[in-house]
Amino acid sequence: MSDIAFATLADLADGLAQGRYSSVELTRHFLDRIDRANPTLGAFISVDNAGALRLAESADARRRAGYGLLSPLDGVPVAVKDLCDIQGQITTAGSEAWRERRSGVTATAVTRLLDAGMVMLGKTHMVEFAFGGWGTNPVMGTPRNPWDLEHARVPGGSSSGSGVAVAAGLAPAALGSDTGGSVRIPAALNGITGLKTTRGLISLHGAVALSTTLDTLGPLTRDARDAMLLTALMAGHDTQDPLTFGIPAFDYREPAGGAQPLRGVRIAVMPTAQHPIAVDADALSALDDARRVLAALGADVAETPLPFDFREMMQRNGQIISAEAYALHRGYIEDPAKPIGQYVRARVLSGKGISAADYIAALLAHAQARSDWLDWMQEFDAVLTPCAPFGARQLAEVDEAATPLAAFTRPGNYMNAAGLALPAGFTSDGLPLGVQLLGKPNAEGVLGRIGIAFQAVTEWHRQRPDLKAVGL
């Protein structure tokens, strides 16, 4: 079972179907890896060993009895970010102040994974209240980027633990949230795939909010096909979340056959002159490599000026997050007795000074941007940009007052775009780099088709960090 930890969800499901291992054996394999590596990596905030094994035993019993599968991923393990409620369990949302917050409901997204027969390994670590792109959590501990076990490097946030867990083979997939890049940033910095979904595609019921205007849930996986499989299980109408009303049914299809499966797909490349932030040479090289691969697959890939200012949208997106985060946390955020991290506290408090007029203006601009994006994207299937402007920085280099990692991702939330982060190379010192595809709202299936074709001919998503130092 040496390669099991880095297998895709699809491959693990096939192994269960072929009887190469049971769900209990599979689950124990991941639990053992978590037990050995998590003290160093800090990917999980809690692990439900007994509960996971009971779920696995149930999956095996269904299979033995011939009752049929609950879904294609019945019996396959998964993890969820610790802002998703599970009834009776603690949900901290990354805050020491919430150590005793016991959930009274189960998030709809989690319920749907459980109803599909998936095995819940535990809750993954995160930036406090999901407010930060570096992935740091100075109070409860920062997950360790597994690609450098000699120097502590940022994991990306806020779905930091989900990114680390999948990259290190502690879970085959994990659920994250994305309000300004919190799925895509850790995906890029950890060398895995991350899908930012359209608002309303996956219910937010039972998920701790950061921004009621911008929050989304989405998967972090080994490849794009897995992202589609997980999204298919979670997507759909939920009476407990009005955002899901009227959203088109999720659908994706495999790329066409042949040497050019993306023929007819139109991809715009953001010109370098329009980048909202300087991008390292390694990341620009990764972008060029991705562009060449997509063109070779038959896509029409052309540098195209965008009628959007990503820097301005990044700032406006941050303004909305700050204002709404303060509204959500204002009852205790200024209490010095609460063990809340100073940087997250400062970010939340920055929303206190945003006037009602400025907030309303930001929402109006947000609505106009969504409309403009939908109109402009009629000519394209996706826009290709860097995902993060550089690889994972050392923790000692982090400026908590700056948000460079969100420069390319926040605009996607602001425009309610579907977004897919794909591994696309490495820095000169071996750290993962990613690119981002932004699409129309509800175009996850189109992005998935592009991503599946891209990963069929590239190897970046198959690379693994060296984990010998943590006993793996």
Side-chain angles (χ1 to χ4, degrees):
M1 297 179 71
S2 60
D3 291 330
I4 291 297
F6 295 94
T8 65
L9 295 174
D11 287 341
L12 294 177
D14 182 65
L16 287 170
Q18 299 300 321
R20 292 196 292 271
Y21 39 74
S22 67
S23 180
V24 166
E25 290 173 324
L26 194 57
T27 300
R28 283 181 174 151
H29 182 68
F30 283 105
L31 290 174
D32 177 65
R33 289 180 66 87
I34 295 168
D35 184 60
R36 283 187 281 164
N38 201 59
T40 298
L41 297 179
F44 282 82
I45 207 164
S46 63
V47 181
D48 186 8
N49 287 270
L53 289 172
R54 284 195 295 270
L55 290 170
E57 288 165 0
S58 296
D60 287 337
R62 285 193 296 274
R63 199 177 295 270
R64 285 194 303 269
Y67 287 140
L69 301 181
L70 297 178
S71 80
L73 299 182
D74 194 347
V76 179
V78 69
V80 300
K81 185 176 182 177
D82 194 35
L83 54 61
C84 291
D85 283 327
I86 298 179
Q87 188 169 15
Q89 295 188 17
I90 298 293
T91 300
T92 71
S95 181
E96 184 69 29
W98 286 16
R99 278 287 194 182
E100 304 303 320
R101 181 187 178 277
R102 196 168 295 279
S103 301
V105 300
T106 297
T108 298
V110 175
T111 296
R112 288 179 175 170
L113 295 179
L114 293 172
D115 288 347
M118 297 199 76
V119 175
M120 199 62 58
L121 295 170
K123 300 280 204 75
T124 54
H125 211 344
M126 57 181 286
V127 176
E128 190 169 16
F129 302 142
F131 203 171
W134 291 107
T136 55
N137 190 321
V139 179
M140 292 186 71
T142 298
R144 185 75 175 264
N145 191 307
W147 287 89
D148 186 351
L149 296 180
E150 183 177 351
H151 308 98
R153 292 184 181 271
V154 297
S158 65
S159 306
S160 51
S162 291
V164 171
V166 176
L170 307 188
L175 183 59
S177 68
D178 195 313
T179 307
S182 291
V183 162
R184 290 161 289 160
I185 294 169
L189 297 192
N190 287 282
I192 59 174
T193 301
L195 179 66
K196 182 260 170 204
T197 58
T198 307
R199 291 265 294 171
L201 181 65
I202 298 175
S203 172
L204 293 171
H205 172 71
V208 176
L210 171 62
S211 165
T212 53
T213 296
L214 300 164
D215 290 346
T216 62
L217 296 178
L220 293 99
T221 56
R222 214 148 286 298
D223 66 10
R225 182 177 285 106
D226 280 0
M228 297 296 106
L229 291 172
L230 266 192
T231 300
L233 295 183
M234 295 184 287
H237 178 89
D238 177 20
T239 57
Q240 299 181 95
D241 182 359
L243 285 172
T244 65
F245 297 0
I247 298 295
F250 174 74
D251 182 43
Y252 85 96
R253 50 192 175 85
E254 293 288 320
Q260 293 195 318
L262 297 184
R263 184 174 294 279
V265 172
R266 299 161 298 173
I267 300 176
V269 179
M270 173 186 276
T272 304
Q274 286 192 287
H275 285 176
I277 191 173
V279 178
D280 280 5
D282 287 339
L284 289 175
S285 178
L287 183 69
D288 287 341
D289 288 343
R291 177 178 177 170
R292 283 192 289 271
V293 170
L294 292 167
L297 289 168
D300 178 5
V301 185
E303 185 172 290
T304 307
L306 274 63
F308 305 99
D309 185 333
F310 267 41
R311 183 172 182 81
E312 179 186 354
M313 289 194 293
M314 177 189 74
Q315 293 168 340
R316 287 187 177 275
N317 195 85
Q319 188 179 38
I320 294 172
I321 295 172
S322 297
E324 295 183 346
Y326 178 72
L328 291 165
H329 298 291
R330 66 186 183 276
Y332 43 81
I333 196 67
E334 295 183 83
D335 183 351
K338 296 287 186 184
I340 296 171
Q342 62 172 315
Y343 303 115
V344 166
R345 193 191 297 268
R347 288 178 203 130
V348 174
L349 283 173
S350 70
K352 183 177 182 179
I354 298 172
S355 69
D358 287 342
Y359 174 64
I360 292 171
L363 291 181
L364 290 173
H366 167 56
Q368 186 62 53
R370 298 198 318 269
S371 177
D372 292 345
W373 175 254
L374 191 58
D375 288 344
W376 188 76
M377 282 294 291
Q378 297 308 309
E379 299 297 320
F380 302 100
D381 296 293
V383 173
L384 176 68
T385 78
C387 191
F390 43 72
R393 293 285 193 253
Q394 291 190 30
L395 279 175
E397 301 172 351
V398 168
D399 177 2
E400 290 281 1
T403 57
L405 291 174
F408 290 95
T409 56
R410 275 189 184 177
N413 301 84
Y414 192 71
M415 298 180 294
N416 194 31
L420 182 66
L422 298 168
F426 293 87
T427 66
S428 58
D429 48 356
L431 300 171
L433 293 165
V435 294
Q436 171 184 236
L437 291 168
L438 293 175
K440 303 178 186 71
N442 303 301
E444 288 82 1
V446 174
L447 299 187
R449 182 159 56 96
I450 297 171
I452 291 169
F454 180 84
Q455 291 178 333
V457 297
T458 59
E459 295 292 326
W460 295 304
H461 65 293
R462 296 189 177 94
Q463 305 308 305
R464 310 173 182 179
D466 183 349
L467 300 170
K468 292 191 290 292
V470 292
L472 296 179

